[in-house]
């Protein structure tokens, strides 16, 4: 081969043999940028969902958690027709109706109407606002029960259910219990700040104007926050095809019923101090209205830390505790505070009531944050049996169990209060009109941790 032929052959060969294609490198960079962009957008949406869910705790729970302020106001400023005793069921009825309606709403918005979650939440905001507006024109006690205890509660549930489903879906891969704990902490911030706000409004403007101001607050905070919470793409995409059925296999598991009964028992007692602690402090221990309102604030403040704390105990990787252990810590500690602090409080003993508000508010207020661990335990059971499970629907049913507890506690509270006025159960708080309520609160709280006894029974059978 001649020298010119060799040169010609060399020139005809590709000059970049063995070298990387520049196009491939550019494509990799482009794909990396796309991945980072999608990750940043996902994190941004998750942050918006968390912020929106946190803000919505104000219109959802601001009234229900602090109804005791209104209860105390009614005792000194009763102008409506009908029995004043019926006002005692409004707060617990409000909580009960909200929680009872959640299983149905969760079932509705989990799959079939997932794409209409924002619309439903906006309708809930409208119903809530209209309810408080109508309530401001009440002339009879049943008007309050209907508007505040039922209608406003349904509106709040219509906000809560779709946004909670979206929260669980956006945080389904990690930190679910922590996300629930953060939102529940914000719920307790609302419960801590609102008592003084409502007390100031009631003293300055009266009952009717206060409810109209609260209507404006509820509408002004709920509507912008709802737009911060988009439905997760997985729910929207699944809705374009045939709607999948909700798996109900977990209803065959004994664990679900153990925790449901525990939640019912704990919730039936948890609503009692929220409703009656203010009036107890004002009427029995003869504290001022400001001091009585302070107790309700102190009752809710510890929940800010407790919700995150119990959520962490249920979700941590370093020293994992079972759901039964965490619920028992909450239940037994709150029961002891009811028996030893509220029950032993005598006239003028603000110190014991302050300690009760803080300890009971911490341990009982963090109980619902343990549900993340309960759901995780039921997920593991389903995985062991190779069964599907819908955690959103499961969370809705746990809320429904809490609603049964709230309603039961509210209905039991009125006759227990009457029983206390006709009999004496000893000295201190036990010997007052509120004695039966105190005992009921302690007993129902301790049975909220009975799941631990069930676990021990299982272990004894295995040994």
């Amino acid at each position: 081969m001649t020298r010119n032929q060799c040169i010609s052959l060399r020139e005809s060969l590709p000059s970049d043999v063995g070298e990387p294609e520049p196009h491939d490198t550019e494509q990799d960079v482009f794909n990396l940028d796309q991945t980072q962009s999608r990750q940043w957008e996902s994190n941004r949406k998750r942050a918006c969902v968390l912020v929106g869910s946190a803000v919505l705790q104000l219109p959802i729970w601001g009234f229900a958690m602090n109804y005791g302020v209104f209860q105390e106001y009614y005792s000194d400023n009763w102008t409506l027709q009908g029995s004043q005793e019926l006002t005692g069921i409004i707060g617990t009825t409000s909580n009960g109706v909200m929680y009872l309606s959640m299983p149905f709403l969760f079932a509705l918005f989990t799959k079939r109407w997932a794409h209409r979650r924002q619309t439903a939440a906006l309708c809930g905001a409208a119903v809530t606002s209209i309810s408080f507006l109508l309530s401001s024109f009440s002339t009879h006690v049943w008007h309050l029960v209907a508007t505040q205890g039922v209608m406003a509660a349904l509106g709040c549930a219509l906000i809560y259910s779709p946004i909670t489903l979206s929260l669980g879906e956006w945080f389904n891969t990690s930190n679910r219990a922590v996300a629930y704990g953060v939102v529940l902490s914000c719920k307790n911030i609302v419960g801590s700040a609102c008592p003084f706000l409502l007390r100031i409004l009631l003293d300055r403007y009266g009952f009717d104007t206060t409810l109209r101001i609260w209507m404006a607050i509820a509408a002004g905070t709920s509507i912008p926050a709802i737009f911060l919470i988009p439905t997760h793409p997985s729910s929207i995409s699944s809705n374009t095809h045939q709607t999948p059925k909700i798996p109900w296999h977990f209803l065959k598991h004994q664990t679900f019923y153990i925790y449901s009964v525990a939640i019912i028992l704990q919730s039936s007692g948890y609503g009692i101090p929220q409703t009656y602690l203010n009036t107890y402090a004002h009427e029995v221990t003869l504290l001022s209205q400001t001091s009585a309102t302070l107790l309700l604030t102190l009752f809710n403040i510890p929940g800010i830390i407790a919700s995150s704390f119990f959520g962490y105990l249920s979700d941590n990787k370093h020293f994992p505790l079972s759901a039964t252990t965490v619920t028992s810590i909450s239940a037994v500690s709150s029961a002891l505070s009811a028996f030893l602090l509220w029950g032993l409080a005598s006239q003028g003993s603000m110190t014991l009531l302050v300690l009760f508000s803080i300890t009971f508010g911490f341990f009982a207020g963090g109980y619902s944050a343990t549900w993340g661990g309960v759901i995780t335990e039921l997920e593991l059971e389903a995985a062991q049996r190779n069964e599907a499970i819908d955690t959103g629907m499961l969370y809705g049913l746990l809320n429904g169990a809490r609603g049964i507890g709230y309603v039961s506690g509210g209905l039991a509270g009125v006759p227990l209060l009457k029983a206390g006025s006709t009999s004496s159960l000893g000295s201190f708080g036990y010997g007052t009109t509120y004695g039966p309520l105190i005992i009921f609160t302690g007993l129902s709280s301790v049975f909220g941790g009975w799941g631990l006894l069930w676990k021990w029974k299982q272990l004894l059978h295995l040994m």
Side-chain angles (χ1 to χ4, degrees):
M1 184 180 292
T2 65
R3 183 170 177 271
N4 291 338
Q5 287 175 326
C6 291
I7 294 172
S8 175
L9 179 62
R10 193 182 307 120
E11 290 176 347
S12 66
L13 293 172
S15 60
D16 56 350
V17 171
E19 298 178 5
E21 289 279 352
H23 175 73
D24 291 342
T25 304
E26 292 174 2
Q27 185 66 36
D28 290 341
V29 172
F30 176 77
N31 290 338
L32 180 61
D33 289 341
Q34 286 289 95
T35 302
Q36 291 177 340
S37 177
R38 285 194 296 268
Q39 184 64 38
W40 182 88
E41 181 65 15
S42 176
N43 290 337
R44 184 190 69 82
K45 288 183 177 179
R46 290 174 71 183
C48 288
V49 168
L50 195 59
V51 171
S53 300
V55 172
L56 282 170
Q57 303 310 298
L58 175 60
I60 294 172
W61 301 109
F63 176 83
M65 289 184 69
N66 300 290
Y67 174 74
V69 176
F70 285 89
Q71 177 77 358
E72 182 195 353
Y73 179 82
Y74 295 146
S75 65
D76 295 330
N77 303 274
W78 185 248
T79 58
L80 303 180
Q81 301 175 37
S83 174
Q84 184 183 335
E85 292 178 350
L86 286 177
T87 59
I89 69 171
I90 294 175
T92 50
T93 300
S94 176
N95 281 291
V97 168
M98 266 197 278
Y99 284 115
L100 277 173
S101 61
M102 285 176 192
F104 307 101
L105 294 174
F106 272 65
L108 193 62
F109 295 110
T110 295
K111 302 294 182 185
R112 186 177 299 277
W113 282 7
H115 61 294
R116 297 180 180 174
R117 286 179 187 171
Q118 276 193 341
T119 303
L122 289 171
C123 291
V127 171
T128 302
S129 301
I130 293 171
S131 301
F132 286 117
L133 179 62
L134 293 175
S135 182
S136 68
F137 296 102
S138 297
T139 58
H140 199 285
V141 65
W142 74 264
H143 297 165
L144 296 180
V145 177
T147 56
Q148 297 177 1
V150 180
M151 188 175 172
L154 288 173
C156 290
L158 202 51
I159 302 173
Y160 179 86
S161 300
I163 66 106
T164 303
L165 283 169
S166 294
L167 176 69
E169 289 171 354
W170 281 103
F171 288 89
N172 66 334
T173 54
S174 63
N175 301 323
R176 180 192 293 147
V178 174
Y180 284 152
V182 169
V183 173
L184 287 170
S185 294
C186 293
K187 171 185 173 181
N188 285 286
I189 291 174
V190 168
S192 305
C194 284
F196 282 106
L197 171 64
L198 294 173
R199 184 77 249 182
I200 291 171
L201 291 175
L202 286 169
D203 290 339
R204 182 170 298 181
Y205 301 109
F207 163 78
D208 49 356
T209 304
T210 296
L211 287 174
R212 290 165 199 162
I213 293 173
W214 184 254
M215 176 209 69
I217 293 173
T221 54
S222 60
I223 294 173
I226 289 168
F227 284 109
L228 289 175
I229 307 175
T231 303
H232 195 270
S234 62
S235 295
I236 298 176
S237 60
S238 66
N239 192 73
T240 58
H241 309 291
Q242 185 179 359
T243 303
K245 294 182 178 180
I246 297 173
W248 298 102
H249 306 292
F250 64 87
L251 293 178
K252 302 176 183 178
H253 298 191
Q254 192 178 18
T255 306
F256 170 74
Y257 297 100
I258 295 296
Y259 285 120
S260 296
V261 172
I263 290 170
I264 290 171
L265 294 171
Q266 193 270 347
S267 301
S268 63
Y270 180 64
I272 298 296
Q274 282 184 319
T275 302
Y276 294 104
L277 185 60
N278 267 41
T279 52
Y280 177 88
H282 188 53
E283 295 175 2
V284 177
T285 59
L286 304 179
L287 299 180
S288 65
Q289 288 183 346
T290 302
S291 298
T293 304
L294 175 63
L295 290 177
L296 192 57
T297 298
L298 293 176
F299 183 90
N300 291 316
I301 282 179
I304 300 170
I305 303 170
S307 295
S308 298
F309 174 72
F310 282 102
Y312 173 75
L313 288 182
S314 302
D315 210 26
N316 78 93
K317 307 293 188 296
H318 305 293
F319 49 97
L321 297 175
S322 67
T324 49
T325 301
V326 180
T327 54
S328 297
I329 292 172
S330 168
V332 173
S333 301
S334 55
L336 288 174
S337 68
F339 287 132
L340 300 179
L341 298 175
W342 192 11
L344 296 178
S346 56
Q347 182 175 328
S349 59
M350 183 174 179
T351 303
L352 283 180
L353 285 182
V354 167
L355 289 174
F356 166 72
S357 297
I358 294 173
T359 55
F360 191 88
F362 180 85
F363 290 106
Y367 188 86
S368 57
T370 66
W371 296 359
V374 172
I375 292 173
T376 300
E377 184 174 320
L378 287 166
E379 280 182 312
L380 290 174
E381 281 193 11
Q384 291 170 358
R385 304 184 187 191
N386 198 26
E387 296 172 349
I389 188 169
D390 191 309
T391 55
M393 189 64 238
L394 178 59
Y395 190 77
L397 289 173
L398 295 180
N399 277 296
R402 190 167 202 189
I404 295 173
Y406 265 114
V407 173
S408 302
L411 294 175
V414 175
L416 285 172
L417 199 61
K418 289 182 178 179
S421 63
T422 57
S423 61
S424 176
L425 299 176
S427 56
F428 303 106
Y430 295 114
T432 67
T433 303
Y434 297 85
L437 286 176
I438 296 171
I439 295 174
F440 177 80
T441 300
L443 288 176
S444 59
S445 296
V446 74
F447 282 116
W450 84 296
L452 190 62
L453 298 176
W454 170 67
K455 282 286 186 182
W456 286 348
K457 182 181 177 182
Q458 282 189 318
L459 291 174
L460 290 174
H461 279 304
L462 294 174
M463 292 175 62

